[in-house]
Amino acid sequence: MAAAAGPLLRLRSLCRVLLFLSQFYILSGGGSLNLEHSQPLAQAIKDPGPTRTFTVVPRAAESTEIPPYMMKCPSNGLCSRLPADCIDCATNFSCVYGKPVTFDCTVKPSVTCVDQDFKSQKSFIINMTCRFCWQLPETDYECSNSTSCMTVSCPRQRYTANCTVRDHIHCLGNRTFPKMLYCNWTGGYKWSTALALSITLGGFGADRFYLGQWREGLGKLFSFGGLGIWTLIDVLLIGVGYVGPADGSLYI
């Protein structure tokens, strides 16, 4: 019995030694080699590689914006009566001033017009007088007004106005131009009212107060119209239009 137990103890001791050596091998670096080989594999599994992205480009929407000049262009009207903003004309600046002249014109895109027989057309001829836009009569253009200049002054003041030709008037050159005009605006004061106040209540300065000249009005009030002399002078000055509103406007 004792003889059989000897080999078993040796075998058990040998297994313990092998187990110890295997653990020592793993701790000394053998296991790190396996880990080094396993890390790229793990990275390969975790890293799926470069991904491809696809960008969907939408189709460009067709432009449905209406040109600004279309607001002035009547649909299916006579081509010869279209506003100047609706047509393009081959003008000739060498024409003789004041003489009748004809120009070849075409309608702008999106503009529709007809001829005398109500047939659609794109090209036509217009008749006009050879002259630049700034040479037109005052009834053919509109100008801006200025309320910062004095209308009652000597000499009469002028101001620079921006003028624009009316839509259905055809001319050469720029349709918008500057022009020097006389000050011509009103603040609502009536000449008849000012004259009546000057005659009846001028001794109390009522006419000057009405015209917005309160300093002169106080002077006339406390001097009883300059003992009547100032009153007579104001009647004459207002009667001929020399004395006007304090804001520099014209009488109605």
Side-chain angles (χ1 to χ4, degrees):
M1 188 70 181
L8 292 175
L9 292 175
R10 293 191 191 96
L11 183 58
R12 184 178 298 176
S13 299
L14 182 61
C15 290
R16 290 178 178 178
V17 172
L18 293 175
L19 180 61
F20 174 78
L21 292 176
S22 62
Q23 292 178 353
F24 179 78
Y25 176 76
I26 293 173
L27 293 176
S28 62
S32 63
L33 181 61
N34 294 331
L35 290 174
E36 290 176 0
H37 288 288
S38 62
Q39 286 178 357
L41 181 60
Q43 292 178 358
I45 296 175
K46 292 181 180 179
D47 189 5
T51 58
R52 295 182 179 180
T53 58
F54 298 92
T55 303
V56 179
V57 179
R59 292 182 60 186
E62 296 182 357
S63 177
T64 58
E65 184 179 357
I66 299 176
Y69 58 80
M70 287 296 296
M71 302 299 294
K72 299 181 180 181
C73 305
S75 179
N76 295 325
L78 290 176
C79 295
S80 58
R81 295 184 180 180
L82 284 176
D85 293 336
C86 305
I87 60 178
D88 292 321
C89 297
T91 57
N92 183 9
F93 293 93
S94 62
C95 58
V96 180
Y97 172 76
K99 298 295 183 179
V101 64
T102 58
F103 293 129
D104 295 329
C105 300
T106 57
V107 296
K108 291 184 177 181
S110 304
V111 179
T112 57
C113 63
V114 296
D115 56 7
Q116 298 291 342
D117 298 329
F118 299 101
K119 295 181 180 180
S120 178
Q121 64 176 358
K122 294 295 183 180
S123 301
F124 56 97
I125 296 176
I126 62 170
N127 300 315
M128 56 178 288
T129 302
C130 179
R131 57 188 171 185
F132 287 95
C133 294
W134 58 269
Q135 296 173 324
L136 292 171
E138 295 182 358
T139 56
D140 291 342
Y141 55 83
E142 297 178 348
C143 298
S144 59
N145 292 324
S146 175
T147 58
S148 60
C149 60
M150 300 291 291
T151 57
V152 182
S153 63
C154 186
R156 191 175 177 185
Q157 291 186 1
R158 293 172 177 259
Y159 71 98
T160 303
N162 292 323
C163 302
T164 304
V165 181
R166 300 184 186 275
D167 291 338
H168 295 83
I169 303 299
H170 299 282
C171 56
L172 302 177
N174 295 327
R175 298 185 62 81
T176 301
F177 53 91
K179 194 168 186 177
M180 294 294 295
L181 299 177
Y182 284 110
C183 294
N184 187 20
W185 65 282
T186 178
Y189 298 95
K190 292 184 177 181
W191 174 82
S192 58
T193 303
L195 183 60
L197 290 174
S198 182
I199 295 173
T200 58
L201 300 174
F204 301 100
D207 50 352
R208 294 283 184 165
F209 285 122
Y210 172 74
L211 296 176
Q213 303 174 4
W214 59 273
R215 293 185 180 87
E216 292 81 355
L218 290 175
K220 291 182 68 175
L221 176 63
F222 290 111
S223 66
F224 298 102
L227 300 178
I229 299 176
W230 194 349
T231 302
L232 293 176
I233 294 175
D234 274 356
V235 171
L236 294 175
L237 295 179
I238 293 176
V240 298
Y242 185 81
V243 174
D247 58 4
S249 63
L250 292 175
Y251 289 113
I252 296 178

